[in-house]
């Protein structure tokens, strides 16, 4: 049992202190240790006990890699071998866009040696350009994103199962 010392109310007398964090409900303090973000990766790490083969670069969308994952309300990052795309939904906030840009720069540095092209795609932009055509080609061609339909049977985000995509 840890006895509190009245002279030092933050002293734990050498005893370990543990905190529990639940995925999707992390505290700000916990997230502050992983700036600008946490990017989960499949596989392991090389160590004295385990040898991991170097893997080829995999195209990653940081949600499920299907067109239906994209929407007008959020910002998405697509990382392919030669380019990183930031897709800004037309209703996304400036804070989301700024945070996503930090994540894009974070991905570019360690995973692409800072040499990867970065393309920002603005949702709802009527004029097509080469970088947006490239993005849509990855998804099999351009098609408008569906608008959200509000129903009476809406589910809270807290009711959805937690899933992690890498």
């Amino acid at each position: 049992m840890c006895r509190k010392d009245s002279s030092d109310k933050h002293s734990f007398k050498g005893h370990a202190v543990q905190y529990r964090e639940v995925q999707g409900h992390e505290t700000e303090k916990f997230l502050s240790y992983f700036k600008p973000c946490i990017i989960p990766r499949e596989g392991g790490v090389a160590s004295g006990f385990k040898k991991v083969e170097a893997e080829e670069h995999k195209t990653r969308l940081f949600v499920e890699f299907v067109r239906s994952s994209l929407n007008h309300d959020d910002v998405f990052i697509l990382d392919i071998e030669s380019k990183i795309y930031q897709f800004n939904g037309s209703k996304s906030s400036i804070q989301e866009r700024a945070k996503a840009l930090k994540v894009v720069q974070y991905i570019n540095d360690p995973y692409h040696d800072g040499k990867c092209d970065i393309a920002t795609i603005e949702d709802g932009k009527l004029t097509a350009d080469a970088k947006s055509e490239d993005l849509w080609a990855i998804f099999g061609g351009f098609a408008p994103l569906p608008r959200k339909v509000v129903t009476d049977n809406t589910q809270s985000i807290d009711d959805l199962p937690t899933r992690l995509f890498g």
Side-chain angles (χ1 to χ4, degrees), residues 52-111:
V52 177
E53 297 291 322
E55 64 180 52
E56 290 183 28
H57 182 85
K58 292 180 182 175
T59 297
R60 300 177 295 168
L61 178 65
F62 291 96
V63 291
E64 189 175 8
F65 187 64
V66 292
R67 179 198 311 269
S68 61
S69 294
L70 301 176
N71 65 58
H72 300 288
D73 298 324
D74 298 306
V75 178
F76 298 88
I77 298 170
L78 176 64
D79 177 15
I80 64 174
E81 188 171 7
S82 60
K83 192 177 280 189
I84 302 171
Y85 293 92
Q86 178 177 326
F87 178 86
N88 294 330
S90 59
K91 296 180 182 175
S92 62
S93 71
I94 191 73
Q95 292 86 1
E96 286 177 293
R97 294 172 187 214
K99 176 69 175 189
L101 182 57
K102 286 181 182 178
V103 173
V104 165
Q105 292 166 341
Y106 174 77
I107 293 168
N108 191 20
D109 291 338
Y111 300 113

Side-chain angles (χ1 to χ4, degrees), residues 25 153-163:
H25 303 280
N153 298 336
T154 56
Q155 219 177 5
S156 165
I157 192 84
D158 296 325
D159 296 336
L160 297 175
T162 302
R163 297 187 315 174

